[in-house]
Structure formats: C-alpha cells, structure tokens
Amino acid sequence: MRRDVKAQPPNEEERLKIRKPKQVAAGITGVTKSFTIGMSEAGLIRTLKTMRSVNRFDGYDCPGCAWPDPDNHRSNFEFCENGAKAFATEATKKRLTPTILSSKSVQEWSNHSDMELDKLGRFTNPMVLRSDSNHYEEISWDGAFEMISQCVNNLSDPNEAALYTSGRASNESAFLWGTLARQIGTNNLPDCSNMCHESSGVGLTTSIGIGKGTVRLDCFDKADLVIVIGQNPGTNHPRMLSALANTKRNGGSVISINPLLESGLNRFKHPQEIIRLLGRGTPIADAHFPVRIGGDQALLQGVAKVVLELGRIDHSFIEEHIDGFEDWQKHISSVNWEDIVTQSGILKEQIIEIGNAVSNAKNMIICWAMGITQHENAVATIQEISNLLLVGGHFGRPGAGACPVRGHSNVQGDRTVGINHNPSSSFLDACERETGIIMPRDSGFDSVEFIHAARNDRVRLFMALGGNLLSAMSDTEEVANSIRNIDLTVQISTKLNRSHLVTGKQALILPCLGRTEIDPSGFVTVENSMGVVHSSKGNLEPGSKSLMSEAAIVSGIGSSCFGSNPFKWLEMSNDYDKIRDLIESVLPIFSNYNKRVREEGGFYLPNGPRDGPTWDTPKGKAIMHVNIIPNRVIKKNRFILMTVRSHDQYNTTIYGMDDRYRGVYNSRRVVMMNQLDIDHLGLNAKDEVDITSHFNEREIVSNRWKVVPYDIPRGNLAAYFPEANVLVPLESVAKGSNTPTSKWIEVSVRPHINDGN
C-alpha cells in the first residue's frame, strides 16, 4: 500500500530569518524577481518570448490567477511577479524524463520538499506505477488508455469513479471532462472551487441569482469606495493593485478589512510607470481594520446598522428590486452593539467610521477572497456583503457591485461549462440532446464528499485534470489514507507534485501541454474573474514530442472506454471549433462562440445583476437574508489559526522559501503570532512549537513550527498553506457550501520538546 510515502513535506533544515516586512508592493524588486526566475528556469530567449505574449490579444492566458486584462488594450507588461514565476516555471528547460523519475522510488521522492519536486522540470512521457512496484516506469499512451478503460469497465457502480478538475483546464477540455464523467455514468466532479469560492457561488446565487461577480475591470476607475475584505491582493492577485491604484488616483477610497495588514494594500509601485517605480509608490488603503479571524459577519452587520441609522439607503431600488428588506431591517436594528464589537474585535467608533464611508458612497465595490469563503459561516457572510450592496443599490451601474476574486485562471470557466457535481436538469437535458449520451441525474461528490467516499472504500477510480488535490485539501494525512484505498489514480499534469507520490494501488501520470506551448489543434478559451471569455494560444515548442493536449488526452480516454457511439470522441480533439460549437449548442449564453472569441479581448457572458439589473430568483427579485451572528467562543488558552500563502508560492506550487512582504526568509514552517501572545506563552521569536487542532472530540498534532512575531490580533495565528492543511479537520466545513474551514482552526500551542522528532 506504500503507506510510508510521505504526504507532507519533510521538516526544514533552513534557518529562519526574520526581517521587517516590506512596506511597498511590486516596484523594482518585483521586476527584478520576474526576470530572475525566468532566466534561471527558461533562459533569455524563452523568457522574452513568454513575457512578450502573456495576456496579449494573440497570446496565452497567464496560468496564474483569474484577474482580468483591460478590455481595449494590452500593455507591454501585462503580468505580475507571481505570474512571471508561473509561466517561467512552466516554460522551464528542465525535463523529468522516465529515466530520472524511475531512478528513485516514490518513497525516496517523497523525502524531497515540494519546491524541489517542482524544480525537477516538465514530464516528457506517460508513466505508470504498478501495484507491485515502488518505481514509476514508462508506458505508451495506448497502454495508459487501456488501463483506464479496463478500470472503467470493471466498476460495479459508475459512482465508484470520481473526476477532479483544476482551474488550469480550458473551457474545451473541461467540457469534455464533464462529458466523460457523465458517459461513465456519474456526476462525481469534485473540483478546486469546492475548496475556495464555492461559498461565494452559493451565497451570491441565493442572494442575486448568479454565482459570479457583477463588476467589470473599468468599474474600479469609477468607484468612489472599494472595500477589500478577507483578501491579500499583493500576493494572491497582484495585478489587482493597479486597479486599486486607479481608484485612488481618480479620487476614490479603499478600505482594507483583514486580520493582517498586507504590503500590497499599503503602497504599490506599478512596474510600467517609471516615475512611480522610482518614487514612494501609490498609497492604496485609506484605512485598515484588523478584524478578528471569523469576525467579518459581525463587522458587516455593524456597518449595516450604521447605514440604517443614517438613513442612507436607496428606497426606490429597494422597492423595485429587493425581497426581504423589512425582515432584514428589523433584524439589523435589533443586533446588539456589544455582540458586534466582541465578535469582530473592532471598536464601535471604527465601525461607525466604515459605516459613514459606505453611506456616502455612490458607487461601491466589495471585493473578497478566501479570507471570507473558508469559514463555517462563509455563506452567511457573503450574503451580508450582498445585503450591504443591495441596500445601497450598488448593482446595475458602472463602478459598483460584488467582486469575488477567483484564485485560478479558469476556475470560473470550468463551472460555467459544466464542471458541477450538482448540475441543473436543464443543463443535463441539453447535454443529452446534443451528445446522445444518457446523462446521470443524481448529484455527485464534491471534494470533501469524495474523500469521505474514498475513506469508506467507495471509490475505485480517481482521475485529476491538473491540480494537486492531496496538498490542496484539508486534513492532509486523512486525505492520503483515503486516496491509498483507490484502485487506480490518474494525474493529467505538467510537473511533479505530491499527488503523484501518494497514489492509489496503481497510478498513471499523463503529461500534457502547458498554456505557453503550441497546440496543433488550435487555441483554447478561458473565462476570467469578471466573466470575460477569451482565447489563449501558446507560442513555445512543446517540451516533449510525447506530450498531448488536455483535450486530446480526455478524448483518448473517452474513445478507449466507449469508442465513437454515440459520441465521436476523437473528432473533438482535432478541431476545437467543434467543441466550442457543442458548448454553444448546450449553453446558449455562448451564442456565436467561435466568432466572438476571435475578437480582440473576447466577450462578456450575460450577467443579470450587472447588465440589468435583473435577478434569476424565484420571485425575480434580489433576496436579502437574515443571519444570526455566530457566538464563536473557544476554550481558554487556545487560538484561532488561519492558513495564508507566501509571496513565493502560487496555490500549492512553491517557488522559493522567502516571503519578503511579511519579512519571513528561508523558512515556511512558521506560525505568526502577536507579540503579547508570545510573551504570555513564555516564548521567543524563532522558538519551535507544536500545534494541536481541536474539533469536537478529535485532535490533530503537527510538530516543529517556528514562532514569528507579527502584527495580528491577539488570539489569532497564521501559518502557510499547504503545510498547515494537516491541522484542518475534514469534518470542519462551511454550512451550505461544504468548503473546508481553513481560515478558522481552533488550536493550542506548546513549546516543542526536542526528542529527535
């Protein structure tokens, strides 16, 4: 069973260095880092080639975050430092050949750090890990497809298969992936959105009838107030800083609400603007409010209370567009200020300050990310965001609306084209009509449900279209043990990660083209965070002659399993226009798909709250929800821990060991603590501690974390993802969305006793 393969990276040997956090984001250092990583991975010519075509009209979409590009123009530097790291490491000259990969056992490879695994380079050939071996060996494409076909045909129930999707997949490959799952006979389509913005989709859909944001990029030029809550754009969505800088330069204000004050919301130096690059930079946040972890819902209700007391509401908008206002108004009026202050950790006077700013805003945008979505009360908190926007009439006009900032380049597009474990009947009806495949009607597994099923031996086949589910999910060791129960695990990937090492009884690696590479079947399409569908076309020669596109791999699996009756699988991979025609026939929102996506910048998908406003809800109105503020009480001498990303990583990919924005160098296994909490525990900076998470009757212990003093509210801690995921119990999820609560982990901390472990 290979249970000795390590599901977590080994303990670090590096020595932690702590310096003063950077006060300015981007700037000359960001430019230097962008070129340095490119030169080290891809060399001068490939670096310049990728930089000159990333996010351009005729180029490829950055494989990093989903932040949109300007509609009508593209600059010569339409990417950020983290984007440069993403496409440079994909364009690397390093190759992980069969000879290299087979030279060590999976146990030996698992002793390497995640960064070391990534730096081995690109896969070149399909590989198989057989049940009686600890070493991968080369396999032909036909042989790999036959293994999958045999496993599919041997399933006793179609729901013993689960097909995972990463946000890196294109619309074309994702649509085929969903079709493949449904021809197998299952809606088991767990995907990365289940772990991040699923709460946004649920919260917004139940409020405004669509699970997406309602702003365009140029709305930031017109907004007079932008609230950034539960988000760190400087690290996770760096190009967003230029939009916020435009808000400030046009006379608008930015308010930051987050337990940590991040460098990106302090000052920003735009890499394209030489004068500002050399100067002090543009100040971003007018004010920062260090809310307690999990206190956002209480804070938002406090702000709403101020708005109601001031009477600054849009009565005509409420009358025409909103259902449930009276009940919400009554609830907010009854909320106790003491509860609001206690739960949020923000003084009443400060909340009144925010309320005054909201009341005076004619055009307001509220942005958020996983600092909001990964809590037990995440859906309710997002409904509070919607309530606040609705009462001010901030929908259906430029410069205003909801802006959930997606973390991966096409995670939103994947959902749009059908990657959904709970698809609508109308979607399935259309798929059945257009493909001839009888569609399964029962709901499938999301990511958490998939792990529960695998733990109970109810999954025999797991296939992943990109991603690193093992490291991205909560409860790392529990996830690893569950995956080991599966008969066959399949990874469609570009580079090695820990999900290729902790496997089922047998495992396949199917190497695919990257975004930066030439696809002989044409360009693909993606959807950004603001609902724009546009093309992506690589310009580098593929890293190996044996690589196949994602769509070709999915089509090959489909053909091997089902032939061409009723769905002609192999025809799909030869011409992507055919896939787009099929998507259009199933989803009318893609009308004239092939023509419009060839226009510079692509096209916007319909969005009722933005374009009308109109509301796809039972009564045809937006819905205001009443939510009780949770009374979150933890035991004495315990803390609340949240996971965060460093500036030297993207999702589970680790580029380096430094987080210069937070002043943490040479180490990732750190826990950030308020200095008063450090003193209370009798600790010092750099001391090693053991952390235990507590959920119901279960405890999870993780050893040897280094203490870093940081400006964070007392009683709150922060540690890096994915290392801290092991402490997030699988059963701890958001109500309504089933998203892991990676931003609310009740823990205790004790000094580490050096016993050799």
Side-chain angles (χ1 to χ4, degrees):
M1 295 294 289
R2 295 187 287 269
R3 294 192 178 274
D4 51 344
V5 176
K6 291 183 174 62
Q8 301 178 65
N11 285 328
E12 301 168 351
E13 298 301 325
E14 292 87 356
R15 296 185 62 183
L16 168 65
K17 293 182 180 178
I18 303 173
R19 299 173 184 167
K20 185 178 180 180
K22 296 292 183 183
Q23 299 300 304
V24 180
I28 291 176
T29 302
V31 174
T32 302
K33 291 285 186 181
S34 297
F35 278 95
T36 299
I37 188 72
M39 293 293 290
S40 64
E41 291 283 348
L44 177 61
I45 295 176
R46 289 171 70 85
T47 295
L48 293 176
K49 197 170 184 179
T50 52
M51 284 186 171
R52 289 170 61 185
S53 59
V54 62
N55 293 331
R56 305 300 292 270
F57 287 131
D58 58 347
Y60 65 92
D61 187 58
C62 177
C65 77
W67 190 253
D69 309 305
D71 287 337
N72 302 317
H73 70 277
R74 295 289 189 272
S75 71
N76 293 322
F77 201 88
E78 204 63 67
F79 60 91
C80 65
E81 178 187 340
N82 272 6
K85 293 172 183 175
F87 61 71
T89 54
E90 180 179 283
T92 181
K93 292 182 176 180
K94 300 172 185 174
R95 299 290 178 262
L96 184 51
T97 64
T99 300
I100 296 173
L101 184 57
S102 62
S103 67
K104 292 183 181 181
S105 67
V106 287
Q107 289 90 339
E108 290 173 305
W109 284 122
S110 74
N111 288 320
H112 290 257
S113 71
D114 290 348
M115 183 179 69
E116 290 169 336
L117 296 177
D118 182 73
K119 289 186 180 299
L120 290 169
R122 293 285 300 279
F123 290 125
T124 61
N125 300 80
M127 303 291 289
V128 61
L129 181 65
R130 302 191 186 277
S131 57
D132 59 352
S133 176
N134 291 323
H135 291 256
Y136 273 102
E137 60 187 74
E138 188 175 355
I139 188 174
S140 68
W141 279 107
D142 287 343
F145 292 154
E146 178 60 24
M147 279 186 67
I148 297 171
S149 177
Q150 288 181 4
C151 188
V152 168
N153 291 327
N154 288 332
L155 297 175
S156 57
D157 183 327
N159 288 313
E160 292 177 336
L163 282 70
Y164 175 78
T165 318
S166 161
R168 60 150 285 140
S170 66
N171 285 345
E172 291 78 9
S173 59
F175 182 83
L176 292 182
W177 194 239
T179 303
L180 175 62
R182 290 165 181 131
Q183 188 162 17
I184 291 172
T186 184
N187 283 309
N188 289 344
L189 285 161
D191 76 301
C192 58
S193 67
N194 300 149
M195 295 173 278
C196 54
H197 270 287
E198 190 74 27
S199 300
S200 297
V202 175
L204 290 174
T205 300
T206 55
S207 296
I208 61 174
I210 189 171
K212 302 181 181 183
T214 66
V215 300
R216 300 182 185 224
L217 183 57
D218 60 6
C219 285
F220 285 83
D221 298 339
K222 303 175 179 68
D224 48 30
L225 176 63
V226 178
I227 296 178
V228 182
I229 181 169
Q231 185 191 3
N232 173 18
T235 288
N236 300 330
H237 315 94
R239 286 193 301 145
M240 180 179 172
L241 296 179
S242 60
L244 295 174
N246 286 343
T247 300
K248 293 299 298 294
R249 292 167 191 164
N250 290 329
S253 298
V254 176
I255 290 176
S256 166
I257 300 172
N258 201 49
L260 306 177
L261 173 60
E262 304 287 9
S263 296
L265 290 172
N266 186 31
R267 283 183 178 272
F268 168 62
K269 292 185 179 181
H270 200 303
Q272 296 177 60
E273 300 172 351
I274 299 300
I275 294 176
R276 292 190 176 102
L277 196 65
L278 298 176
R280 298 184 64 242
T282 301
I284 300 296
D286 295 273
H288 171 70
F289 299 91
V291 66
R292 285 179 52 194
I293 295 175
D296 306 275
Q297 183 185 344
L299 176 60
L300 289 165
Q301 289 202 9
V303 173
K305 195 173 183 71
V306 176
V307 171
L308 285 177
E309 290 173 353
L310 292 174
R312 307 283 181 82
I313 58 178
D314 191 328
H315 293 280
S316 61
F317 187 92
I318 292 169
E319 178 69 23
E320 182 179 358
H321 292 288
I322 294 177
D323 181 48
F325 170 74
E326 291 79 10
D327 289 341
W328 175 80
Q329 181 184 38
K330 182 179 179 181
H331 166 69
I332 293 298
S333 298
S334 68
V335 175
N336 186 289
W337 269 113
E338 183 179 355
D339 293 338
I340 292 171
V341 171
T342 299
Q343 293 299 318
S344 69
I346 303 297
L347 296 175
K348 180 179 178 180
E349 293 75 14
Q350 294 175 300
I351 297 175
I352 291 174
E353 181 183 346
I354 304 172
N356 282 325
V358 170
S359 296
N360 292 325
K362 295 180 180 179
N363 297 312
M364 179 173 70
I365 298 172
I366 301 182
C367 309
W368 70 93
M370 285 180 281
I372 296 296
T373 65
Q374 294 179 326
H375 289 274
E376 182 182 3
N377 60 326
V379 172
T381 304
I382 291 158
Q383 289 172 342
E384 300 293 352
I385 291 173
S386 178
N387 289 342
L388 201 57
L389 289 166
L390 285 168
V391 78
H394 296 291
F395 288 99
R397 63 171 182 256
C403 184
V405 185
R406 309 284 173 170
H408 212 309
S409 58
N410 198 41
V411 63
Q412 184 162 293
D414 291 350
R415 179 57 59 88
T416 301
V417 300
I419 298 300
N420 193 336
H421 60 283
N422 190 23
S424 68
S425 296
S426 60
F427 174 79
L428 293 175
D429 289 343
C431 285
E432 196 165 291
R433 181 188 68 240
E434 299 298 329
T435 66
I437 297 169
I438 303 301
M439 295 285 146
R441 301 291 166 153
D442 293 336
S443 295
F445 300 144
D446 64 17
S447 295
V448 172
E449 291 166 341
F450 156 64
I451 297 301
H452 283 297
R455 181 169 60 180
N456 294 322
D457 293 317
R458 293 167 50 207
V459 179
R460 296 179 59 194
L461 171 65
F462 172 69
M463 297 193 286
L465 184 60
N468 181 4
L469 178 65
L470 170 71
S471 297
M473 265 293 291
S474 56
D475 215 337
T476 310
E477 293 296 340
E478 194 70 18
V479 171
N481 290 332
S482 300
I483 288 174
R484 292 181 179 115
N485 292 334
I486 300 172
D487 289 348
L488 176 64
T489 53
V490 182
Q491 303 284 338
I492 301 173
S493 308
T494 58
K495 302 177 78 177
L496 187 67
N497 60 49
R498 209 158 288 275
S499 287
H500 302 100
L501 306 177
V502 177
T503 69
K505 298 165 189 174
Q506 296 197 97
L508 287 168
I509 296 173
L510 306 182
C512 65
L513 294 173
R515 288 270 181 88
T516 58
E517 293 171 317
I518 299 170
D519 187 334
S521 296
F523 66 86
V524 296
T525 61
V526 296
E527 178 186 349
N528 66 33
S529 196
M530 293 180 184
V532 178
V533 178
H534 60 94
S535 64
S536 177
K537 184 177 181 180
N539 64 351
L540 296 181
E541 288 298 322
S544 165
K545 294 181 179 180
S546 296
L547 300 183
M548 294 177 67
S549 70
E550 291 176 330
I553 294 172
V554 179
S555 296
I557 295 172
S559 176
S560 182
C561 292
F562 304 110
S564 58
N565 186 22
F567 189 67
K568 294 178 173 54
W569 279 102
L570 293 183
E571 288 186 11
M572 293 294 107
S573 62
N574 296 326
D575 183 356
Y576 294 158
D577 279 1
K578 292 182 179 179
I579 305 176
R580 289 188 282 269
D581 284 340
L582 181 58
I583 293 173
E584 179 182 343
S585 68
V586 172
L587 295 164
I589 59 173
F590 285 91
S591 62
N592 216 5
Y593 195 173
N594 273 309
K595 179 181 178 180
R596 290 197 293 162
V597 82
R598 284 176 163 84
E599 298 172 358
E600 287 191 345
F603 61 94
Y604 281 90
L605 290 172
N607 187 303
R610 180 195 67 208
D611 301 336
T614 59
W615 322 95
D616 186 14
T617 60
K619 293 185 179 181
K621 289 189 172 185
I623 301 169
M624 297 189 74
H625 292 268
V626 173
N627 296 297
I628 305 301
I629 298 174
N631 182 23
R632 308 301 295 271
V633 178
I634 62 174
K635 291 187 177 181
K636 187 178 180 180
N637 294 324
R638 288 186 182 175
F639 300 85
I640 296 301
L641 171 72
M642 66 175 183
T643 65
V644 297
R645 291 194 296 200
S646 84
H647 193 64
D648 234 356
Q649 72 177 103
Y650 189 74
N651 291 343
T652 61
T653 303
I654 312 302
Y655 301 124
M657 300 299 293
D658 297 341
D659 188 357
R660 71 175 188 273
Y661 282 6
R662 297 192 181 101
V664 178
Y665 294 82
N666 297 334
S667 183
R668 291 185 50 82
R669 202 171 177 82
V670 301
V671 56
M672 288 167 256
M673 304 179 67
N674 186 290
Q675 183 63 57
L676 294 176
D677 287 328
I678 295 173
D679 295 340
H680 177 73
L681 293 176
L683 299 170
N684 296 298
K686 300 185 182 181
D687 280 356
E688 285 194 334
V689 296
D690 299 336
I691 304 175
T692 302
S693 67
H694 306 269
F695 184 78
N696 295 335
E697 301 301 317
R698 186 178 174 210
E699 294 185 347
I700 307 172
V701 180
S702 184
N703 295 328
R704 300 190 64 183
W705 295 80
K706 304 177 186 73
V707 172
V708 172
Y710 207 82
D711 186 6
I712 186 172
R714 286 208 67 180
N716 290 178
L717 310 175
Y720 291 129
F721 155 106
E723 288 85 352
N725 286 357
V726 66
L727 290 163
V728 186
L730 187 65
E731 291 75 17
S732 182
V733 295
K735 295 177 181 177
S737 67
N738 216 34
T739 297
T741 60
S742 300
K743 297 296 185 288
W744 176 279
I745 314 161
E746 184 173 346
V747 301
S748 55
V749 178
R750 65 183 182 189
H752 176 71
I753 300 174
N754 194 353
D755 56 0
N757 296 319

